[in-house]
Amino acid sequence: PHVMRTMAKVLQCTRRAPGAKYLRTSKQKERKEVVGTVRRALGCEASVSDAAQASERWTKRLLLVDGTAVAYRAHFAFSGKFLHTEMGEDTSTIYGFITNLLMLMEMKPEYMAVVFDAKGKTFRHELYPDYKGQRPPTPEGLVEALPKLHKLLKSLAIPIIQVPGIEADDVIGSLASRAYEDGFLVDIASPDKDFFQLLRPGVRLLRPSPKGTLPGLVPYGVEEFEAEWNLRPDQFVDMLALCGDPSDNIPGVKGIGFKTAPKLIGHFGTLEELLARVPEVTTKRARTQLTTEDGQAAALLSKKLVTIKTDLNLPVLRQPWSQFLLQQPPDGGCSVMTALNALEMKQASKRLAQLW
């Protein structure tokens, strides 16, 4: 709650509609203090004793941004606000994305990358042609905004990773795994619950605060996951294998939902162990479905679909970590400042200047 309150104050100090007068807050000092409080709450700043303990395992911090998910969320959150420049250019999605990006940059990660889904199908479509088949086409406003977002990120000198045939989740999973092994503390900025399976000490999510609470980002790690699901993070894929995931059109097992699945996996430990001991299942409906060949096949297929790859060995994912350093662009930020001012996002450019 403390994190959410402070993030809300950040938003109140910075949010405005393009073209409107910037609300002078003479509270820039206060906003810096708020951001500092947020960074401490998220673990970006620690006490001397905490830092000493952390240095034994994690010597660097990497922030991986799920660009596709953040862009989608920004589009649907801001498209109804009709933000545009005086010339009529729609800036709703760009404004929402940049607002989130600045929030993340103000946490001062040492290394950073933004990962997007590439166009086209992936191995999951080969396994299951109906994978994500229920989703509507990408909204036109988002389609138009994405190239502009890419251009802004490039002018910020923030690495963009987009691999044809590979989903952003798998790119992030592989980078996070490699970074963890190399001694990084890894933050993944995404609202996507699929990343729960990657959680471990040293790998956590930065997620939007729950509905009905103050806006902002909250850290979500192993403790938060176990408190919510009463499972280990690595058991999340086993749970989804049973109950499925409507957002990605993952079938799961018919008749097993989000109430029964966690109990089954909590008791049996893994999907494979459950399938080996189906007669012991006390819930009649679940036992009946898991006894059938179709039910077992659906569970095993669903697990393959929801499991994020963490071992991709592609050149773009093996480049030196120095390529991910978050630093001032070679041109001193002139191009991005010009672009933001053209989009009438002057406050965003001011916030960037404070970062450099």
Side-chain angles (χ1 to χ4, degrees):
H2 177 63
V3 175
M4 290 186 285
R5 284 196 298 272
T6 51
M7 289 306 289
K9 291 180 69 178
V10 172
L11 290 174
Q12 291 168 0
C13 292
T14 59
R15 186 175 292 165
R16 72 180 184 95
K21 273 190 176 180
Y22 168 56
L23 177 60
R24 295 184 179 278
T25 68
S26 73
K27 290 187 176 181
Q28 290 184 350
K29 180 179 179 182
E30 178 184 347
R31 189 173 71 79
K32 288 182 179 179
E33 293 173 351
V34 169
V35 171
T37 303
V38 173
R39 293 184 66 226
R40 288 189 294 275
L42 292 174
C44 299
E45 294 179 358
S47 65
V48 174
S49 59
D50 289 340
Q53 293 178 1
S55 65
E56 295 178 5
R57 178 63 182 88
W58 302 297
T59 58
K60 298 153 287 193
R61 180 181 299 273
L62 171 67
L63 172 60
L64 298 171
V65 182
D66 183 356
T68 302
V70 173
Y72 262 90
R73 188 176 181 85
H75 174 77
F76 288 108
F78 288 89
S79 59
K81 299 185 183 298
F82 305 107
L83 305 180
H84 54 81
T85 65
E86 292 181 358
M87 298 298 291
E89 180 180 0
D90 184 1
T91 59
S92 303
T93 301
I94 299 173
Y95 176 73
F97 186 93
I98 292 298
T99 298
N100 280 279
L101 185 70
L102 286 171
M103 248 192 282
L104 293 166
M105 292 177 68
E106 285 169 338
M107 294 172 192
K108 302 252 178 108
E110 299 165 89
Y111 301 80
M112 185 174 180
V114 180
V115 184
F116 288 95
D117 284 321
K119 291 182 180 180
K121 296 184 177 181
T122 70
F123 79 94
R124 291 183 176 87
H125 293 93
E126 297 176 3
L127 287 173
Y128 185 59
D130 290 333
Y131 177 64
K132 293 187 177 181
Q134 86 293 3
R135 291 191 177 183
T138 305
E140 183 178 348
L142 180 56
V143 172
E144 294 176 354
L146 283 173
K148 299 173 184 178
L149 292 176
H150 281 229
K151 188 175 181 180
L152 284 170
L153 288 168
K154 289 178 181 178
S155 64
L156 279 165
I158 295 177
I160 300 172
I161 301 180
Q162 195 170 31
V163 184
I166 305 294
E167 286 190 64
D169 290 12
D170 300 309
V171 172
I172 290 174
S174 296
L175 281 173
S177 179
R178 177 193 164 204
Y180 176 83
E181 295 301 325
D182 287 350
F184 283 79
L185 177 62
V186 182
D187 284 327
I188 301 171
S190 176
D192 191 344
K193 66 181 182 302
D194 290 344
F195 288 115
F196 289 171
Q197 63 190 273
L198 301 181
L199 297 174
R200 64 174 83 174
V203 178
R204 62 185 179 178
L205 300 183
L206 299 178
R207 292 173 52 79
S209 55
K211 291 181 179 180
T213 62
L214 295 175
L217 295 171
V218 293
Y220 190 96
V222 175
E223 291 184 8
E224 289 77 13
F225 175 84
E226 291 178 345
E228 180 178 359
W229 296 96
N230 200 29
L231 295 171
R232 301 187 312 271
D234 63 283
Q235 293 176 308
F236 190 67
V237 292
D238 297 281
M239 187 198 80
L240 287 180
L242 293 176
C243 60
D245 185 355
S247 65
D248 288 337
N249 207 31
I250 306 295
V253 180
K254 185 178 179 180
I256 299 180
F258 278 96
K259 295 183 75 173
T260 303
K263 295 177 182 178
L264 289 172
I265 297 304
H267 179 76
F268 291 97
T270 67
L271 173 65
E272 291 73 18
E273 185 67 16
L274 166 63
L275 296 180
R277 297 164 56 189
V278 171
E280 299 176 33
V281 175
T282 57
T283 306
K284 183 178 179 180
R285 188 175 185 183
R287 185 175 63 251
T288 300
Q289 291 296 328
L290 291 170
T291 302
T292 67
E293 185 176 338
D294 287 347
Q296 294 196 13
L300 293 171
L301 170 63
S302 296
K303 183 169 182 176
K304 290 181 180 179
L305 293 173
V306 300
T307 300
I308 292 175
K309 289 186 174 293
T310 59
D311 58 354
L312 295 176
N313 190 22
L314 302 172
V316 68
L317 305 183
R318 304 301 303 179
Q319 58 186 311
W321 290 119
S322 59
Q323 299 297 312
F324 295 83
L325 272 171
L326 183 60
Q327 54 193 340
Q328 189 175 25
D331 68 352
C334 291
S335 60
V336 69
M337 295 295 187
T338 300
L340 289 174
N341 287 332
L343 292 168
E344 298 175 15
M345 298 181 187
K346 295 181 180 179
Q347 178 56 18
S349 63
K350 290 180 181 179
R351 291 172 67 182
L352 273 176
Q354 292 174 0
L355 287 172
W356 296 331

